[in-house]
Amino acid sequence: MVPKKAPELFYDESRFCGGCGHGIFNRILAEVLEEMDIVSDTIICSDIGCNHQFQFWMNVDAIVPPHGKMGAAITAMKRVRPDKNIMTIAGDGGAYAIGIGETTSAALRNENVVMFVMNNTLFGMTGGQLAPTTMIDQKVASAPLGRTVEDNGQNTDVFKLMGDMDIAYLARTSVTSPANIMKTKKAVRKAIEKHQAGKGFCLVEVLVPCPTNWHMTPAKSMEYIDEVVSKVYELGEKIDR
Amino acid sequence: MEKRIMKGNEAMAEGAIRGGCNFFAGYPITPQSEILEWMSWRQKEVGGVFIQGASEIESVNMTFAARCLGARAFTSTSGPGFSLYQEGIAYWVSAEIPCVVACVQRFGIGDGFISAGQDNFWQAVKCGGNGDYHLIVLAPNSVQESCDMAYESFELAEKYRHPVLLLSDGTIGQMMEPVVLPEMKKYSIDDLDWTISGCKPGEDHKVATDVTYFEPVTEWNHKYIAKMRKIAENEQRWESFEVEDADVVLVAYGISSRVAQEAVARARKDGFKLGLIRPITLWPWPTKAFDAIPDTCKGIVTVEVNMMGQMREEVILRTKGKFKTFAMTVDEPRIHTVNEVIEYAKSVYDGREEEEVF
Amino acid sequence: MEKIKLSVEHCKGCYLCIANCKPGALSISKEVNAKGYLVPQVDQDKCVQCGCCYTMCPDLVFEIF
């Protein structure tokens, strides 16, 4: 048996809702940072949204630019301090809606940075409105009858956006089971290792539940990801070079 | 001391470099692009970082991120680009990240014209973004001042942990004059203790963020307001010419102040008692300068390269309406001539002008 | 012997731990924590220390010895 204990860099309780995927991802990232012994050489760029709450319980240096501007911020951060591990924990709204320009620019330039994007298919903090990742027919607060192509346009799949780009790593994982969480952890570590090797832009999208805005129990939310969300957003490694 | 003939924009860029600037991000826009171009090769020479962002929005936020991590970060823009900067600048203020930004003003609304103007006054001086703030605004009126203000801007911003705006204009930016270049200042990204550099074992982490997330808000707000009061009291700068006995006082900054200063000299030769207050800081506004205006003064005239007389409102406010206040504006993108200024001032003296506030 | 420790004061009642506990060692107790959630309880005898509860928990409730 391997003893399991919360990573030491947590200094407080999380402020996420019960069953929130952000809490699970924060712990995964904290474990990787401690296992690689790089906490003091890591600076995280926050998005604004639920994801930014990592800073209230993780003892890691961070900056918080305006909503969605992570792609620009991490570009500058890495160039100013190339010796540090520069990464962002973003939401799908920040990374693919308001920040799609910054995210895409950073990827097109193949900046040597890491983006972890939490995809819960909606805007969580503001109450569950339509995000670019909201699936066709999915009911959300600003598309109460469900997303339609006519009214809301196609949904965004980062594999389609970046699949042919000259970037180092593009993967999608989930947190629905211990096995999937271990896969997420591997992808997180792989992205950071590529970053340290100077390979270029790495993006790991993590399918996470938002039980509060999905109006489901946490356990049901995990089933929903397995049965519905991950059918629309394919899991796996799309780019690995 | 090194003396060169340079454009105002180039002098500003070089002044920033010599003031320790080791990061620049920007986006091309006339009439400030020389700053961007200068930085593209000059940062390489001094071991700094230059990034041409994919937009103004990228550039302003790159500047924020670089400054958070310790770089003396500078960015420059103009007209509509400055509008795009406003969200980012509000974050600088709220997170107390002392970036420096230059706005080389142009004329007109929206895209407007690429020629010289003074159309960003309201936005630059009153508060361009959301929330309660003014930037420390320095307004150069020569190539030398473009250099000198950029040179000192980082230390001024760091002194208060508050952003500094260099409010130039297309004419000051494009014209060439001799300039004496100062010595290079030494600055390293590890020099300041508030910068974000990775959390060492046993330390509490640092987060460069909007205050409302971390600090007790009321306490922070009191501290912030005290800081703003201190800046308002301590950092007023201006130049006055012949104000003490003036019958009409001109108020002008940037390129307009060059015309106004010449108008004062010529009018005085003809026996017309004209004076000039040139605000060097537009915020804090040099309120103290206006104490010297005699009660007999017939009127104050702001000379501005815009249509609605943006600075006039500031004068009325700061003098509490004590004097009749007029704005000499333009309805096309051009600078006033000296004769036009004198004629207008005489017209004010004779009581032939109507006060107007939009 | 204690195999697992629960810091139930952190619990927000999502019960992802219970949903993923294959041996059925975890169940909802009658204890309410300060946040107002009915917290999980563990049957130490049934626990096989697989760590699934630790892995799924978003709130760092579990410690496996």
Side-chain angles (χ1 to χ4, degrees), chain A residues 114-157:
Chain A
V114 183
M115 290 191 75
F116 299 119
V117 182
M118 304 299 111
N119 178 357
N120 58 12
T121 72
L122 42 70
F123 281 84
M125 181 163 262
T126 47
Q129 296 82 6
L130 185 97
T133 46
T134 300
M135 300 170 292
I136 302 299
D137 294 333
Q138 185 184 354
K139 292 183 174 68
V140 288
S142 54
L145 301 177
R147 181 183 195 128
T148 64
V149 175
E150 294 73 31
D151 289 344
N152 312 107
Q154 272 297 347
N155 55 321
T156 296
D157 179 346

Side-chain angles (χ1 to χ4, degrees), chain C residues 43-59:
Chain C
D43 182 339
Q44 294 281 353
D45 293 338
K46 284 192 188 165
C47 177
V48 297
Q49 294 180 302
C50 65
C52 288
C53 52
Y54 166 89
T55 307
M56 293 305 298
C57 178
D59 288 294

Side-chain angles (χ1 to χ4, degrees), chain B residues 43-341:
Chain B
Q43 285 291 0
K44 263 198 167 23
E45 284 189 352
V46 298
V49 175
F50 166 84
I51 310 176
Q52 183 170 323
S55 64
E56 275 94 355
I57 293 175
E58 277 209 1
S59 303
V60 72
N61 294 307
M62 285 172 169
T63 307
F64 170 82
R67 183 78 258 213
C68 288
L69 269 57
R72 277 190 170 163
F74 179 43
T75 182
S76 64
T77 186
S78 178
F82 193 59
S83 300
L84 286 170
Y85 272 30
Q86 298 310 320
E87 180 200 35
I89 290 174
Y91 275 71
W92 300 353
V93 173
S94 175
E96 297 193 286
I97 299 302
C99 301
V100 178
V101 55
C103 175
V104 184
Q105 297 177 93
R106 49 202 243 180
F107 183 93
I109 307 157
D111 200 36
F113 300 82
I114 59 170
S115 54
Q118 295 183 315
D119 250 334
N120 289 92
F121 183 93
W122 277 332
Q123 193 179 33
V125 173
K126 302 312 288 184
C127 177
N130 59 307
D132 300 88
Y133 71 87
H134 298 291
L135 302 176
I136 300 172
V137 185
L138 303 177
N141 82 343
S142 66
V143 173
Q144 184 68 57
E145 273 194 356
S146 297
C147 172
D148 295 346
M149 286 177 175
Y151 185 69
E152 66 156 325
S153 61
F154 295 100
E155 281 169 9
L156 179 60
E158 285 159 11
K159 180 177 170 188
Y160 296 103
R161 285 194 61 186
H162 194 71
V164 167
L165 165 62
L166 306 172
L167 192 67
S168 180
D169 59 64
T171 310
I172 299 292
Q174 295 294 328
M175 71 187 190
M176 296 184 87
E177 285 182 325
V179 54
V180 176
L181 296 171
E183 295 298 309
M184 285 287 286
K185 279 181 187 164
K186 281 199 166 53
Y187 176 77
S188 146
I189 57 168
D190 293 314
D191 281 358
L192 299 166
D193 59 4
W194 53 263
T195 57
I196 310 295
S197 58
C199 180
K200 305 286 169 297
E203 285 180 3
D204 283 343
H205 67 153
K206 283 186 279 196
V207 182
T209 184
D210 187 283
V211 292
T212 49
Y213 292 141
F214 261 87
E215 313 237 2
V217 174
T218 317
E219 198 178 295
W220 188 90
N221 285 350
H222 289 170
K223 201 178 73 184
Y224 170 75
I225 286 298
K227 174 173 93 173
M228 297 303 275
R229 285 201 180 101
K230 196 170 160 191
I231 300 172
E233 177 58 28
N234 295 347
E235 299 297 337
Q236 296 181 26
R237 296 188 213 173
W238 71 91
E239 261 186 326
S240 289
F241 301 93
E242 319 256 7
V243 169
E244 289 73 11
D245 65 341
D247 286 331
V248 175
V249 173
L250 305 175
V251 181
Y253 72 98
I255 187 60
S256 299
S257 69
R258 300 278 288 257
V259 178
Q261 198 177 333
E262 180 61 23
V264 170
R266 284 198 213 165
R268 288 272 169 179
K269 260 186 203 157
D270 294 343
F272 176 37
K273 287 196 247 173
L274 202 52
L276 165 66
I277 294 172
R278 169 170 86 96
I280 296 173
T281 52
L282 297 177
W283 193 87
W285 181 259
T287 307
K288 294 170 186 172
F290 291 76
D291 295 343
I293 301 177
D295 292 345
T296 52
C297 175
K298 294 273 197 296
I300 301 178
V301 177
T302 63
V303 185
E304 310 183 52
V305 191
N306 54 47
M307 293 189 288
M308 294 176 82
Q310 300 187 8
M311 190 164 61
R312 165 180 42 199
E313 294 183 3
E314 198 68 18
V315 173
I316 295 170
L317 188 71
R318 303 297 183 157
T319 56
K320 297 181 180 164
K322 186 176 169 192
F323 302 99
K324 285 193 167 177
T325 305
F326 309 85
M328 195 186 175
T329 56
V330 286
D331 52 11
E332 56 183 332
R334 69 172 184 88
I335 316 297
H336 302 279
T337 66
V338 173
N339 283 340
E340 283 171 339
V341 174

Side-chain angles (χ1 to χ4, degrees), chain A residues 1 3-7 10 13-20 23-24 27 31 57 175-178 181 218-219 222, chain C residues 9-16 19-20 35 37 48-60 62-65:
Chain A
M1 292 303 141
K4 287 184 189 296
K5 193 170 187 286
F10 288 104
E13 293 186 343
S14 92
R15 296 193 191 176
F16 301 116
C17 304
C20 175
I24 300 174
R27 196 203 60 243
E31 286 174 357
W57 69 328
V175 293
T176 57
S177 65
I181 287 172
M222 293 300 193
Chain C
E9 68 274 17
H10 302 318
C11 178
K12 294 180 192 143
C14 75
Y15 311 128
L16 289 172
N20 284 275
K35 297 187 210 300
Y37 295 104
V48 297
Q49 294 180 302
C50 65
C52 288
C53 52
Y54 166 89
T55 307
M56 293 305 298
C57 178
D59 288 294
L60 312 175
F62 299 93
E63 184 179 346
I64 316 285
F65 298 106

Side-chain angles (χ1 to χ4, degrees), chain A residues 1-232:
Chain A
M1 292 303 141
V2 183
K4 287 184 189 296
K5 193 170 187 286
E8 287 176 10
L9 62 79
F10 288 104
Y11 64 90
D12 202 349
E13 293 186 343
S14 92
R15 296 193 191 176
F16 301 116
C17 304
C20 175
H22 283 293
I24 300 174
F25 181 80
N26 283 186
R27 196 203 60 243
I28 294 169
L29 179 61
E31 286 174 357
V32 172
L33 295 181
E34 287 192 354
E35 285 164 19
M36 294 177 78
D37 194 19
I38 55 170
V39 176
S40 60
D41 290 321
T42 296
I43 306 174
I44 301 179
C45 173
S46 168
D47 185 10
I48 286 179
C50 290
N51 53 79
H52 86 263
Q53 298 177 105
F54 74 84
Q55 50 187 298
F56 301 129
W57 69 328
M58 286 173 76
N59 200 34
V60 186
D61 272 9
I63 79 161
V64 189
H67 180 39
K69 306 304 179 279
M70 302 77 67
I74 52 180
T75 296
M77 290 161 77
K78 187 64 185 175
R79 296 203 191 185
V80 168
R81 290 193 182 265
D83 54 322
K84 301 291 173 190
N85 302 292
I86 303 295
M87 58 194 74
T88 180
I89 306 175
D92 48 343
Y96 304 151
I98 193 168
I100 186 71
E102 286 71 15
T103 301
T104 313
S105 291
L108 286 168
R109 291 191 301 260
N110 197 16
E111 294 289 339
N112 188 32
V113 293
V114 183
M115 290 191 75
F116 299 119
V117 182
M118 304 299 111
N119 178 357
N120 58 12
T121 72
L122 42 70
F123 281 84
M125 181 163 262
T126 47
Q129 296 82 6
L130 185 97
T133 46
T134 300
M135 300 170 292
I136 302 299
D137 294 333
Q138 185 184 354
K139 292 183 174 68
V140 288
S142 54
L145 301 177
R147 181 183 195 128
T148 64
V149 175
E150 294 73 31
D151 289 344
N152 312 107
Q154 272 297 347
N155 55 321
T156 296
D157 179 346
V158 73
F159 277 15
K160 290 181 187 163
L161 176 71
M162 295 187 183
D164 288 326
M165 285 190 191
D166 292 324
I167 59 176
Y169 192 51
L170 179 63
R172 185 182 286 122
T173 63
S174 80
V175 293
T176 57
S177 65
N180 279 330
I181 287 172
M182 293 322 287
K183 279 184 194 162
T184 299
K185 190 171 169 180
K186 268 187 191 146
V188 167
R189 182 161 184 140
K190 197 165 177 177
I192 296 174
E193 283 170 353
K194 282 179 188 289
H195 173 67
Q196 290 184 326
K199 299 270 188 195
F201 186 87
C202 300
L203 188 147
V204 179
E205 182 183 293
V206 185
L207 301 182
V208 291
C210 181
T212 303
N213 289 304
W214 288 1
H215 310 293
M216 293 177 193
T217 65
K220 185 77 192 157
S221 301
M222 293 300 193
E223 282 173 28
Y224 182 69
I225 294 176
D226 283 340
E227 287 162 15
V228 180
V229 186
S230 60
K231 300 289 187 290
V232 176

